[in-house]
Structures are given as C-alpha cells and as structure tokens.
Amino acid sequence: MELNDIIKAQLMDAHDLERTLNRMARQIVEMFDLDESKAASFALIGMQTRGVYLAARIRKIISEVDRVDVPMGILDATMYRDDFRMRLKQPVVRETRIDFDIDDRDIVLVDDVLFTGRTTRAGLDALTDLGRPASVHFLVLIDRGLRELPIKADFVGRKVPTLPGEEVRVRLHEMDDKEGVWLVGRSPSPTN
Amino acid sequence: MEPTENQIQTGLDHRHLLGLSDYSSREISLILETARRFRDVLDRPIKRVPTLRGITVVNLFFESSTRTRISFELAEKRLSADTVNFSASGSSVSKGESLKDTAQNIEAMKIDMVVIRHQSPGAPNFLTQCVDAVVINAGDGAHEHPTQALLDMLTISDRFGKLEGLNVSIIGDILHSRVARSNIHGLLAMGANVTICGPKPLLPVHLDRMASSKGDLRITHKLNEALEGCDVAMALRIQMERQGQSLFPSIREYHDQFGIRMEHLHAHKDLIVMHPGPVNRGVELASDVVDHERALILNQVTNGVAVRMAVLYLLSGQIASE
C-alpha cells in the first residue's frame, strides 16, 4: 500500500485473482475461437505497468491450457495523457514494445483498474498511432465505476462500486511485496 | 535500466535547464531514460505524439546555429507543441532592442517555454529573472550547452551500457567550449573519469573549481596520453572563424598534434570517437576517421532530437509551478 492508505476492504486475495484471470482467459479463447491458426491475427497488449503483468499471466494460461502461444505487446500511454496542465511533475515515460504489426489483428488491451476511462482513451490513441487493428477489446481486473468518458470494458474481473475519495490498489507479486486487491481510503494529511 | 520508484515520484528538481553543473546524477539518469522512450517514437511510422499539445515554445536564437536549432524545432514538433522561431538577424535585436525587452515582449505573447542560444554566458539565467516561462539553455557563450552534453552521454551509455567508470577524453579548445564544460560537469556527476587535452593556451587555468562528484578529472597536453586507456575520445570543433587570434601556430600543426587519425584507431582497438559537429575534416578528425564505424557522430545527431524531447517533456511539468 502507499503511505497514507487506510485499508477499507480486501477485494481479492491471491487465489481469487488466479481464478478470475483463468475465467477471463477462458472468455478470450471462446470469443476469438483461439487456436494455432488464429494466433497470427490476435494479440494481447498490456498497459504499463500492472496491465503488463496481467497480460503476461493471461498469455501463460492460454499457452498452458490451450497450447496456443499468442503474441503480447507492452503499451505506455503517458505521452497521450490529457492531464498535462494539472500536474506539477511529469509522470515517467515507460517503454512501449510491440514487436509485431498490429494492423488487422484483434487486440485485447489489458489494464488493472478501469476508473474515469481517461487512461483507456490515451491507450486507444496510442494504439491508433501504431496501426489499424481489426478490433480492440478491453479487459480490466477491476471496474470501479465513476466514468468520465463513454468507455466500457469487454472483459471485467470484478465490478466494484466506489466513492470518488477511494482508491483501488492492485498488487502483483511480479513488482509488489504482496498479491491481491484492496479498497483503500486516503487520509487527508501525511501526518495523520 | 528501469527508472526507480524514487525517480517516478520526484521528477526533475529544477524548473529550468541552464546547465549541468547543478544537475544531480539522478536527474541526468531520468533525462537519459526518458530520452530512450522518446527515441522509440522516432522509429515509428507516425513520429509524433500529442504530449505537449497546447504548449507554446519560442526558440530565441541570438547566435547562428543550424543543427541545434533544427534539432530543437524537430523535438518540439514531434511533441505537438506550438513553436515560434526568432533569430537575431533581421529582427528587432538588429534594431537595438535589449534582451530584457525582447524577452518581456515575447512573454506578453503568452509563451510557456523559451529555448535560448546567446553569445553571452549567463543570458539564459538572466532570462529566468525577467520572464515566468521555463528556460532551456541551447548554448550561452563559453558557459554551457547542456543538451549537447546530455546527447553525448546518451550516445556513450548506449554503446557501453553505463557511464560510471568509463574514461572519456575531451580534446581541443576546452577554454572556449561550452560543450566541454557541460560534458565535464555531467560526466563527472555520472561517475565517468574525464581527461582534457589540448594546446596549453586552450586549456582552462582554474580546473580544480570544476572537479566535483564521483569521477576523476585530469589534464594533459599530449594526445597519446589522452588516448591511453581511453574509452571515448570527444574531439571539439576548432573555431576556424576565431583563428585571427592565433591561439596555436597553424591548422596543420594542430592536426599533427591533436587531430585523431587512422593510426590512433588502429592502436586503440576499442576507442570510440565523437564530435559535436560540424566537423572540420582533416583538422580535429582525419577524414577517414569521420567515416569510420567507430565514429558515432550521426548517432549523436539522432540522440539530440530524443534528448531534447525528454528535456521539453520533463520541464513542461514545471510550467504550472510558480
């Protein structure tokens, strides 16, 4: 968790997370009728940073269960954000690495939390500059509501109604010291 | 090398880029890492991102420049900023307007960032006192040329995967070189060892003043000593236009004593050669050295656009903070 977080509830533990990812992997395989022949017209793209690890896990599940290796890319949408004038420090630009042509592919964009929809909008713009996919679908682990743009997810791990002051923390063992999803409140000042 | 969480949360500590003398190794690393991400954009079919949309940048060039000006303009355009160009010739400066008046007039036009090249050291610093805009130094007299040093460091760290512990020799007119000064500050801060080499009248007297941070700084008047154990030889441009002042006997003698020739590349099998350009072929570098695969001069040019995009991006976060 971060410095001023006050934990309100644990939404998922490691086991829930694994089960949810397995279910979403099944939904993807079913929707795109994935087999070896389809792997060339399909791709998973993980959004920096935790979306990358989620996409990698889904890719691994599809590879183990269905024996299909689907291509996977990494997308960073920082350069396409619209909150530029509102911040004091610029967010770090991370790597975008997509080693295949995205033209005419069915893409599943993967992110951890869907909130206002602004990051997703930035991601879609970033993808558009890289090529013209046949379709783009969107997968999120947690949909916390409170949208500010007309964006929806096609694959949702769990819908959690939240309040504006709350945050959803997804923690993955690849980059964090624990695994799971928590709903937290923010304490008003760092001294509290 | 991924930026650490620490870098993510703090960004740059400075509001302007006037020089590298007070930039920390953390800030320099952040700029270089960010530049690598922007360089990826330059390899795409659409080489433009909307990052600086709505930001207006003015390029104030009081001194003639081709590649630095084009490099900055390109970086601004790739980031979708609005740009205004201003050069001293054919402008109000030739009508006798002062720097302060020029700056305040430009400010009145609602400019967010100013890129300035000026013949007087300290002009960018002076500018920060009379305008609210973020100021980027594109070369001020013999003081600093920070974006050139940053692109040099990016080029070196691409090649070696690090800067710490490398031996870099800077050869030529150190005294009048803002490129040398910025590189010395930056490289020493990053932990590289710097050797400066050139004819005696072209080496600074007060060297110890600049010796800071992690790396070691040494001085020599012999090219062979500078190249011994050296990883990177950075040749500086001899200002042919300044040769009226005759700081060394002749161009030919300079080339004989300090010019890097094929025999040096043969003797030092891993030596990398760099030059900030434009090169005087047959003076600082022999013509066949310029075209050699171990000369990274064109990599430097490519990296220049990426580094300037990174600097514009990172400093643009400081526009609102006043």
Side-chain angles (χ1 to χ4, degrees):
Chain A
M1 301 305 109
E2 289 177 22
L3 200 59
N4 305 325
D5 284 355
I6 300 161
I7 295 177
K8 290 187 170 179
Q10 181 164 14
L11 303 173
M12 283 186 182
D13 61 20
H15 177 69
D16 299 329
L17 221 153
E18 188 189 343
R19 201 173 49 192
T20 301
L21 290 176
N22 272 311
R23 191 244 306 156
M24 291 196 286
R26 297 270 60 72
Q27 289 176 312
I28 289 172
V29 170
E30 186 187 348
M31 182 158 190
F32 297 97
D33 194 16
L34 281 185
D35 56 30
E36 280 302 340
S37 68
K38 298 273 170 52
S41 61
F42 176 85
L44 288 167
I45 293 184
M47 296 194 44
Q48 289 277 22
T49 35
R50 290 184 179 79
V52 175
Y53 299 115
L54 293 175
R57 290 195 197 182
I58 292 169
R59 181 182 189 276
K60 188 159 173 270
I61 295 166
I62 295 174
S63 163
E64 283 169 1
V65 177
D66 305 277
R67 310 261 162 233
V68 180
D69 286 323
V70 296
M72 189 198 135
I74 295 173
L75 186 71
D76 179 88
T78 310
M79 296 176 198
Y80 292 81
R81 287 167 69 142
D82 62 359
D83 52 356
F84 187 83
R85 292 252 183 200
M86 295 152 67
R87 13 188 91 242
L88 296 183
K89 299 284 183 189
Q90 294 295 53
V92 165
V93 181
R94 295 171 186 280
E95 184 181 38
T96 291
R97 194 176 64 229
I98 299 174
D99 300 328
F100 46 84
D101 198 347
I102 66 167
D103 286 3
D104 302 322
R105 274 180 204 266
D106 292 310
I107 304 276
V108 174
L109 198 60
V110 179
D111 206 355
D112 54 353
V113 179
L114 174 55
F115 178 25
T116 60
R118 289 178 190 271
T119 310
T120 318
R121 194 278 311 157
L124 288 170
D125 282 354
L127 265 189
T128 308
D129 275 2
L130 295 172
R132 188 176 187 280
S135 70
V136 180
H137 290 74
F138 188 37
L139 180 151
V140 285
L141 185 62
I142 304 289
D143 178 353
R144 60 165 289 192
L146 302 172
R147 214 77 78 239
E148 293 171 1
L149 292 173
I151 279 172
K152 71 168 184 63
D154 302 280
F155 307 97
V156 179
R158 194 159 151 201
K159 263 194 160 73
V160 183
T162 59
L163 300 170
E166 295 172 331
E167 297 286 341
V168 173
R169 302 273 182 239
V170 174
R171 293 293 176 260
L172 303 173
H173 67 71
E174 287 93 335
M175 67 179 295
D176 305 305
D177 51 7
K178 51 182 138 189
E179 170 116 350
V181 181
W182 285 265
L183 180 68
V184 302
R186 303 279 277 162
S187 76
S189 85
T191 50
N192 287 355
Chain B
M1 184 172 66
E2 274 288 297
T4 63
E5 282 299 321
N6 188 31
Q7 289 175 346
I8 293 164
Q9 270 150 28
T10 50
L12 292 181
D13 299 331
H14 289 80
R15 192 163 180 268
H16 309 282
L17 177 60
L18 305 178
L20 292 185
S21 62
D22 57 351
Y23 265 59
S24 64
S25 59
R26 185 192 67 80
E27 289 174 288
I28 294 172
S29 304
L30 176 63
I31 294 171
L32 300 186
E33 269 317 297
T34 307
R36 291 195 165 96
R37 303 285 90 90
F38 281 110
R39 191 171 54 195
D40 294 341
V41 173
L42 302 176
D43 288 330
R44 294 182 192 163
I46 298 174
K47 299 175 179 53
R48 190 185 181 107
V49 286
T51 321
L52 294 196
R53 209 165 37 188
I55 300 291
T56 308
V57 186
V58 61
N59 299 310
L60 269 183
F61 279 72
F62 291 93
E63 195 184 74
S64 68
S65 159
T66 309
R67 68 187 69 203
T68 303
R69 187 174 51 80
I70 289 176
S71 183
F72 265 109
E73 272 185 59
L74 211 48
E76 291 150 10
K77 288 189 161 67
R78 300 291 194 220
L79 289 169
S80 306
D82 296 318
T83 63
V84 187
N85 291 309
F86 171 101
S87 46
S89 56
S91 71
S92 47
V93 173
S94 53
K95 296 176 188 167
E97 191 179 47
S98 74
L99 173 59
K100 185 175 179 179
D101 287 336
T102 305
Q104 286 179 336
N105 272 281
I106 287 165
E107 175 113 287
M109 298 178 205
K110 309 293 174 200
I111 299 293
D112 299 299
M113 305 177 89
V114 179
V115 175
I116 178 174
R117 150 93 41 120
H118 201 282
Q119 58 278 7
S120 306
N125 185 29
F126 173 72
L127 199 61
T128 62
Q129 292 158 26
C130 40
V131 300
D132 283 336
V134 167
V135 176
I136 297 173
N137 181 4
D140 57 336
H143 177 225
E144 284 226 39
H145 190 355
T147 56
Q148 176 69 43
L150 288 164
L151 72 90
D152 290 338
M153 288 190 278
L154 179 60
T155 309
I156 296 170
S157 76
D158 279 346
R159 180 79 182 199
F160 294 92
K162 59 171 185 176
L163 288 166
E164 190 162 0
L166 290 179
N167 296 308
V168 180
S169 294
I170 305 177
I171 299 148
D173 181 356
I174 311 288
L175 187 63
H176 300 104
S177 175
R178 54 195 174 209
V179 175
R181 194 160 276 99
S182 289
N183 262 304
I184 291 169
H185 288 309
L187 286 165
L188 290 178
M190 297 303 287
N193 304 313
V194 178
T195 300
I196 59 174
C197 171
K200 256 196 181 129
L202 300 183
L203 293 181
V205 187
H206 300 292
L207 252 190
D208 49 327
R209 210 158 45 105
M210 294 205 288
S212 61
S213 303
K214 290 189 254 171
D216 291 331
L217 181 62
R218 72 187 179 101
I219 185 165
T220 175
H221 307 293
K222 294 203 170 65
L223 182 62
N224 276 334
E225 283 178 16
L227 295 182
E228 198 55 52
C230 165
D231 299 300
V232 179
M234 204 180 273
L236 298 176
R237 179 180 150 76
I238 286 298
Q239 313 271 323
M240 305 292 256
E241 54 276 17
R242 283 211 189 106
Q243 272 321 298
Q245 306 166 18
S246 70
L247 293 161
F248 50 87
S250 75
I251 293 298
R252 176 181 294 199
E253 190 176 322
Y254 180 85
H255 184 64
D256 287 346
Q257 282 190 32
F258 297 100
I260 299 173
R261 300 178 296 275
M262 282 309 284
E263 64 201 69
H264 298 118
L265 286 183
H266 292 316
H268 305 277
K269 293 291 181 202
D270 298 319
L271 181 69
I272 295 303
V273 177
M274 292 171 50
H275 192 292
V279 181
N280 297 307
R281 280 178 187 256
V283 184
E284 306 98 44
L285 302 176
S287 193
D288 38 7
V289 170
V290 177
D291 302 319
H292 196 273
E293 55 169 3
R294 280 190 272 142
L296 304 182
I297 300 165
L298 293 177
N299 302 41
Q300 290 173 270
V301 177
T302 306
N303 284 338
V305 178
V307 152
R308 287 168 183 127
M309 287 171 84
V311 167
L312 286 160
Y313 170 73
L314 291 168
L315 287 178
S316 66
Q318 328 290 65
I319 291 170
S321 60
E322 206 7 42

